[in-house]
Amino acid sequence: MVDDRISALPDEIICHILSFLPTEDVFTTKLLSKRWRPLWLLLSNLDFDDRRCSRELYSQFINMVFISIYARSAHKPIKRFLLRCDGNSICEPKQSDIVTWLTATAERGMEHLDVHISSNQNFNCVFSFKNLVVLKLRVIHITTILPVDLPLLRTLHMDGVYFLEHWFLLEILNGCPILEDFEAKNIFVRNSANEYEAEFKRLTKLVKADISNLSVYNVPLEGFSNVEFLRLEEIYGCVPEFSNLTHLEFVSRRNVNWCLLYDVLEKCPKLQNLVLEMPQLVTSVSTLCWYPNIFPKCLSSQLKECTISNYRGHQYELKFVQHIMLNSKSLRRITICSPPSMNPREMLEMQKELSFFPMRSATCEVNFKFV
């Protein structure tokens, strides 16, 4: 007979082991023995994903979520709640059920909420959960907005979120006074014409901002001026002074005006790391002729690492890279990433040209990659 050494472990260790499993699997451990029956209720993290449930057992999945939340004693909080409901064929939970789950977990002290709901339902209730420290929203709809009050929220990530009005997003950001990490990707807005009556506040605690198509929805860059890390896919509006910015990523798949790019770089006095994806189209190419006179100060004095992606060897790309190499005295590494489709012979010639180009920094290394 084999000894059951796992069951002999203390509750804390068993619960730590169970915390690495999906809650659906943890739920079934209560059937193992009397020793295991109460342990699943001690976990403070719940992770539900209806993709792991068959259509025939979908009603059991709904019941399991209810039981996992309500069966625990009042003094056992839920700290982290992950919920993904893509629907399973024709099966999906009711909006009222999901709102009940979210509200109940919030009442049990939830601090981390990660929600992915594919159905066309509204879940604005999450913006009133005052204990939240981390909020991640994926593929959900916000068709109405309640007063936003997230006094403890430090991380807000949104991907594929649909807003009925553009000012909903401004209202959400205004309700996060100590936000440190903000990410917005694939944001969709139905109506962007209505003006936001309140003042959009500057996010003074924000350290990292990864924003994509927010320019379309009138979210001022000024609100993100305190960040140390910034990822942009568009340059828009009035460019503020980024006095703390050390890492800038500019990724554009559309046309870009070099004058605007330089305007941003001139406003980043502490910039140390620049990641630039070369766009397919460029306007104001004549700006390149002015490089010796307008080369941004941060690139010449502070820049330590530079990554140029989607490099195809165009003349304006070559000039930009050469001016960085020629003027950046603190540069330690420059990485040139070209698409695999690029002509190998042209790539080799480009590498030779850049490898022997004079550099101001004697310690800088030049790397070439196909990405």
Side-chain angles (χ1 to χ4, degrees):
M1 182 176 180
V2 179
D3 291 338
D4 183 3
R5 295 183 179 182
I6 294 181
S7 295
L9 294 172
D11 289 355
E12 293 79 7
I13 295 180
I14 295 179
C15 289
H16 179 71
I17 295 172
L18 293 178
S19 67
F20 294 98
L21 300 177
T23 303
E24 297 96 299
D25 295 337
V26 176
F27 184 79
T28 61
T29 62
K30 63 188 180 68
L31 303 176
L32 294 175
S33 68
K34 184 182 296 185
R35 166 77 174 94
W36 285 80
R37 194 172 301 163
L39 294 180
W40 69 283
L41 290 172
L42 301 179
L43 270 67
S44 59
N45 297 341
L46 299 181
D47 178 2
F48 297 104
D49 189 336
D50 68 355
R51 296 175 302 172
R52 300 190 287 253
C53 173
S54 67
R55 175 181 173 183
E56 293 74 21
L57 299 176
Y58 205 83
S59 60
Q60 295 183 25
F61 172 82
I62 301 296
N63 291 333
M64 178 180 59
V65 179
F66 273 108
I67 294 172
S68 299
I69 296 172
Y70 287 97
R72 64 185 57 232
S73 59
H75 66 280
K76 294 296 181 183
I78 299 174
K79 293 298 182 182
R80 192 166 182 259
F81 187 58
L82 282 74
L83 176 67
R84 176 161 185 162
C85 293
D86 280 339
N88 196 320
S89 186
I90 61 172
C91 303
E92 63 179 27
K94 299 177 183 178
Q95 177 175 345
S96 58
D97 287 342
I98 297 177
V99 171
T100 298
W101 298 341
L102 297 178
T103 304
T105 52
E107 292 172 348
R108 286 159 175 77
M110 176 180 58
E111 297 177 356
H112 182 132
L113 174 61
D114 191 332
V115 183
H116 183 149
I117 309 293
S118 62
S119 59
N120 186 6
Q121 302 178 18
N122 183 63
F123 298 102
N124 59 9
C125 61
V126 301
F127 301 115
S128 61
F129 297 161
K130 295 184 178 182
N131 286 331
L132 282 180
V133 177
V134 176
L135 176 59
K136 297 183 179 182
L137 304 175
R138 297 179 175 89
V139 196
I140 73 168
H141 286 63
I142 307 297
T143 54
T144 60
I145 196 73
L146 298 172
V148 178
D149 189 9
L150 299 170
L152 303 180
L153 195 71
R154 297 184 181 276
T155 299
L156 174 60
H157 291 179
M158 298 186 293
D159 188 356
V161 177
Y162 169 92
F163 292 99
L164 181 63
E165 303 286 349
H166 88 275
W167 60 266
F168 288 1
L169 178 56
L170 300 177
E171 185 74 6
I172 291 169
L173 292 174
N174 271 349
C176 307
I178 64 170
L179 191 66
E180 297 175 357
D181 181 358
F182 176 61
E183 182 179 297
K185 298 179 179 179
N186 306 310
I187 303 298
F188 302 94
V189 173
R190 180 175 178 179
N191 302 315
S192 58
N194 296 334
E195 295 294 329
Y196 184 49
E197 297 180 357
E199 177 187 0
F200 179 53
K201 303 173 184 177
R202 183 169 172 264
L203 298 165
T204 58
K205 302 295 183 180
L206 197 65
V207 176
K208 180 180 180 181
D210 184 347
I211 55 181
S212 55
N213 56 339
L214 295 188
S215 63
V216 182
Y217 311 121
N218 303 318
V219 181
L221 273 177
E222 173 65 31
F224 310 109
S225 60
N226 188 69
V227 295
E228 298 175 11
F229 176 104
L230 178 63
R231 185 178 189 272
L232 283 172
E233 292 192 10
E234 263 188 283
I235 301 171
Y236 59 91
C238 181
V239 178
E241 183 83 11
F242 293 100
S243 56
N244 298 320
L245 191 66
T246 59
H247 183 111
L248 173 63
E249 296 185 8
F250 180 67
V251 182
S252 179
R253 295 170 181 84
R254 291 184 277 182
N255 192 15
V256 64
N257 190 317
W258 281 96
C259 294
L260 292 178
L261 175 59
Y262 267 48
D263 193 13
V264 172
L265 294 175
E266 284 285 3
K267 302 291 182 65
C268 307
K270 296 182 180 179
L271 189 65
Q272 297 181 19
N273 195 331
L274 173 64
V275 179
L276 175 63
E277 179 176 326
M278 288 294 180
Q280 296 291 338
L281 299 173
V282 175
T283 56
S284 300
V285 176
S286 59
T287 306
L288 295 167
C289 300
W290 309 337
Y291 272 155
N293 297 323
I294 66 171
F295 195 75
K297 295 179 181 178
C298 66
L299 299 187
S300 62
S301 61
Q302 302 290 334
L303 191 66
K304 291 181 173 58
E305 293 197 19
C306 180
T307 300
I308 307 296
S309 63
N310 198 35
Y311 185 92
R312 290 148 294 156
H314 295 317
Q315 190 63 24
Y316 67 87
E317 297 174 334
L318 178 63
K319 281 190 175 183
F320 183 82
V321 172
Q322 287 178 338
H323 275 80
I324 289 179
M325 296 167 68
L326 193 61
N327 291 277
S328 302
K329 63 181 181 182
S330 300
L331 195 63
R332 298 173 182 170
R333 182 184 300 110
I334 182 167
T335 303
I336 311 296
C337 303
S338 296
S341 58
M342 189 172 177
N343 185 297
R345 179 176 295 180
E346 293 178 352
M347 184 66 179
L348 181 60
E349 291 299 320
M350 179 269 295
Q351 291 180 3
K352 288 181 180 179
E353 186 172 14
L354 291 178
S355 296
F356 292 103
F357 193 82
M359 291 186 289
R360 187 173 182 185
S361 172
T363 59
C364 179
E365 63 179 58
V366 183
N367 299 322
F368 299 95
K369 294 181 179 180
F370 286 100
V371 179

